[in-house]
Amino acid sequence: TQLLEQSPQFLSIQEGENLTVYCNSSSVFSSLQWYRQEPGEGPVLLVTVVTGGEVKKLKRLTFQFGDARKDSSLHITAAQPGDTGLYLCGGGGADGLTFGKGTHLIIQP
Amino acid sequence: DVKVTQSSRYLVKRTGEKVFLECVQDMDHENMFWYRQDPGLGLRLIYFSYDVKMKEKGDIPEGYSVSREKKERFSLILESASTNQTSMYLCASSFGSTLFYSNIQYFGAGTRLSVL
């Protein structure tokens, strides 16, 4: 069974600060997806990374896939209250998509 | 844009009732999925379907069944609802052409089901 561990579970910071959240596994994934979920809504796909070492940027969000394709990170620069939400990573493999339990992020004004 | 629509945002049902949750996608996706999401447990796969009239059990199929009579529609059925099925239910869909695309899933807004 493939497992994805996300850390930290909870993070509360002030507007304007930088932060990094992590998604780690002992398994190799063919792709990794990051989602953001707001309270009462479904997850919204942010990005897919597929190549070891790949870096993708989405405005103030930077996503990196580990060289061995076992882990990923999401870095947010100058966080804003609109970044508040649950960030989920999902690792893709032959058995489908395996999700971590998520990082609850709160950005305080 | 991909659109996955779940018929109800909120549902309140009584124990023992038969409950239908409907999901429709407009992107001609082959794969459709049903998950439930609970605090501390994350997303758990109930059932998925990779073609019309095809279904596969996920990690927690007990107490649930599914129906896929048309490509765009995937229904989740709770035959006899119980209080431990109170949860957020999420439908997702993806292309089935390759393993890569099948793992890029798009979600609906969710149905918050309360069983009293």
Side-chain angles (χ1 to χ4, degrees):
Chain A
T1 303
Q2 298 179 313
L3 293 173
L4 272 171
E5 298 286 338
Q6 290 192 245
S7 61
Q9 275 189 285
F10 299 94
L11 183 59
S12 179
I13 63 171
Q14 295 294 125
E15 182 176 1
E17 293 184 20
N18 301 332
L19 66 109
T20 303
V21 298
Y22 300 93
C23 176
N24 295 305
S25 177
S26 58
S27 303
V28 176
F29 292 103
S30 59
S31 67
L32 198 130
Q33 279 69 244
W34 282 94
Y35 294 82
R36 179 169 65 219
Q37 184 178 17
E38 298 185 14
E41 300 292 331
V44 175
L45 181 66
L46 297 174
V47 78
T48 296
V49 286
V50 295
T51 306
E54 182 177 3
V55 177
K56 280 193 174 178
K57 293 195 173 186
L58 189 66
K59 297 184 181 178
R60 294 175 293 98
L61 278 60
T62 302
F63 304 86
Q64 183 160 11
F65 203 13
D67 291 341
R69 290 184 289 129
K70 293 182 179 182
D71 53 83
S72 182
S73 64
L74 159 59
H75 181 79
I76 301 179
T77 304
Q80 298 178 2
D83 296 326
T84 291
L86 174 67
Y87 288 80
L88 292 164
C89 65
D95 293 333
L97 204 55
T98 299
F99 285 96
K101 293 182 180 179
T103 291
H104 292 267
L105 176 63
I106 296 174
I107 310 300
Q108 301 186 31
Chain B
D1 281 352
V2 175
K3 189 153 189 183
V4 180
T5 303
Q6 295 184 230
S7 55
S8 303
R9 295 298 304 274
Y10 302 94
L11 275 178
V12 180
K13 297 292 181 181
R14 297 278 179 196
T15 302
E17 279 192 75
K18 190 169 186 176
V19 182
F20 293 86
L21 302 183
E22 305 286 343
C23 176
V24 177
Q25 50 93 6
D26 67 356
M27 279 300 291
D28 203 34
H29 283 171
E30 288 83 5
N31 302 325
M32 296 189 75
F33 308 83
W34 276 107
Y35 294 88
R36 63 178 284 178
Q37 186 177 33
D38 301 286
L41 297 177
L43 281 163
R44 293 182 291 168
L45 181 64
I46 305 171
Y47 267 97
F48 65 99
S49 169
Y50 53 87
D51 202 350
V52 176
K53 297 193 185 294
M54 305 301 289
K55 60 183 179 184
E56 295 285 343
K57 293 180 180 179
D59 299 320
I60 52 162
E62 296 78 18
Y64 304 95
S65 62
V66 290
S67 173
R68 192 159 180 209
E69 297 297 318
K70 292 186 177 182
K71 189 175 186 180
E72 67 271 18
R73 188 179 297 270
F74 193 34
S75 302
L76 179 69
I77 304 153
L78 286 66
E79 295 290 342
S80 178
S82 63
T83 55
N84 63 13
Q85 292 179 309
T86 291
S87 186
M88 174 70 141
Y89 288 87
L90 291 162
C91 175
S93 70
S94 69
F95 282 116
S97 55
T98 66
L99 181 62
F100 170 75
Y101 284 107
S102 68
N103 284 326
I104 301 177
Q105 296 180 17
Y106 297 89
F107 285 84
T111 296
R112 171 92 42 200
L113 173 66
S114 295
V115 182
L116 306 179

